[in-house]
Amino acid sequence: MRTREALLADVNAELPDYDWADGARRYLDAFFQRYSREQVEGFTATKPLAAITPEDPAGSLAEIVSYLNHFSNTIHLLQLPRGAKVLDVACGGGWVSHWLTRLGYQTVGVDISAEFVALARKRLADDPYLDLSPETLDGMFVTVDLEREPLPEALAGGFDAAVLESCLHHFVDPIAALESIRRGLKPDGVVLIIESENRRGAIKDEYMRVMVETQTLERPYPREQFLEILAHAGFPAVEFLGPINGFFAQSGQGGYDLSQALARITAEANICLCATNEAALLRLVPSRARPPAPAAAPNQRLEMATRLRGLVPAWTRPLLRPLGRWFLARR
């Protein structure tokens, strides 16, 4: 494995020379320049169920569906009991913390932007069904730069899980950020990381344009880099996950290989559950303890029938089918 310094140099090799931490703090400024404060606050308060944008309806709808799927998959996977403590990393306007709190979990959202933290507190304060005091809300959202400072001591070692919803790619030093998160976990705590792209090749042009315009990081990780980052941060136990969501027409399911589709989906993104020890993962992914399934023995009769089929003229095949069925059925 490469040294930490060599890995980070590779991770950030293609980036323009900006102060990315300052850009992350000023992230909302770019939106306030394009929209009114009322529009931005309205979007933040209703994300991910904000109205579909007229500028890009298809992209907006796809993003909404993705967030909803990720959240439901997170709840289903983690199977946390009511009252469990969850760290919402780079919480932004606080929608993940809001929904987790609605379910009965104890949440703490952290973000580098004090303005986002203020919007997150306002979002939960405006929910009449939570009835949270100002003192409670102050403790639920914390402004912290995870790359440069540890979590507050009061948050160390207390979390059952941490959730990183589409945010790890925003860190210049993801190793330092993950180390801070690790210090916040209980010994059997787990981290769910949702990154929508397993990058192959250079950073896409559209991501580079966004980075130049907003001076915030939009660079996915290749799988090899991603695994090295996790190892350096103290997460040797890693399980990659593949989401399959939706309603599927019965008429279109014939001949569909679900295992191949799942392998492709898992390879396209970097969505994973990780922990500091194997036992923590085994609680949620018991399949890690099973030996790999043995390869199916070849069906020699079927192979022979297939070869014979290729040797006979097409017009004779309907006549020979009863004989072929009898041959395959023999014991």
Side-chain angles (χ1 to χ4, degrees), residues 84-291:
K85 294 189 67 176
V86 183
L87 180 66
D88 179 11
V89 178
C91 64
W95 76 268
V96 173
S97 289
H98 185 189
W99 286 12
L100 288 172
T101 303
R102 276 287 197 95
L103 293 174
Y105 297 121
Q106 299 181 58
T107 64
V108 174
V110 295
D111 201 281
I112 194 174
S113 167
E115 192 152 20
F116 263 135
V117 164
L119 288 174
R121 286 179 180 143
K122 184 177 186 303
R123 174 173 178 145
L124 272 71
D126 290 344
D127 186 335
Y129 298 101
L130 291 179
D131 192 24
L132 299 170
S133 68
E135 294 76 21
T136 299
L137 285 167
D138 282 345
M140 287 180 64
F141 294 99
V142 181
T143 303
V144 59
D145 182 350
L146 290 175
E147 297 178 67
R148 292 176 174 82
E149 55 187 309
L151 285 174
E153 187 62 32
L155 302 179
F159 290 98
D160 299 283
V163 177
L164 285 78
E165 163 60 78
S166 305
C167 67
L168 188 64
H169 59 273
H170 289 314
F171 292 104
V172 178
D173 187 345
I175 300 174
L178 286 166
E179 286 176 332
S180 296
I181 294 164
R182 175 169 54 83
R183 285 190 285 269
L185 294 176
K186 293 179 180 178
D188 60 347
V190 296
V191 178
L192 177 63
I193 301 175
I194 300 172
E195 290 288 306
S196 61
E197 182 182 338
N198 170 20
R199 176 160 61 91
R200 295 175 172 87
I203 300 172
K204 293 176 181 176
D205 290 342
E206 56 263 39
Y207 294 159
M208 295 298 288
R209 284 195 296 270
V210 171
M211 287 194 284
V212 171
E213 290 173 4
T214 65
Q215 296 187 22
T216 56
L217 279 172
E218 294 290 347
R219 55 102 168 78
Y221 305 101
R223 177 68 58 86
E224 295 76 14
Q225 277 185 359
F226 192 65
L227 283 168
E228 284 188 86
I229 289 167
L230 292 172
H232 273 288
F235 292 104
V238 182
E239 180 75 32
F240 285 95
L241 309 166
I244 296 180
N245 296 91
F247 295 123
F248 302 94
Q250 185 176 2
S251 61
Q253 294 175 11
Y256 190 74
D257 189 330
L258 188 60
S259 62
Q260 288 187 6
L262 183 56
R264 175 181 55 79
I265 292 168
T266 305
E268 287 176 350
N270 281 327
I271 301 175
C272 74
L273 193 67
C274 56
T276 61
N277 59 86
E278 186 67 20
L281 275 197
L282 282 173
R283 290 188 298 108
L284 300 175
V285 191
S287 59
R288 291 175 66 88
R290 301 176 196 151

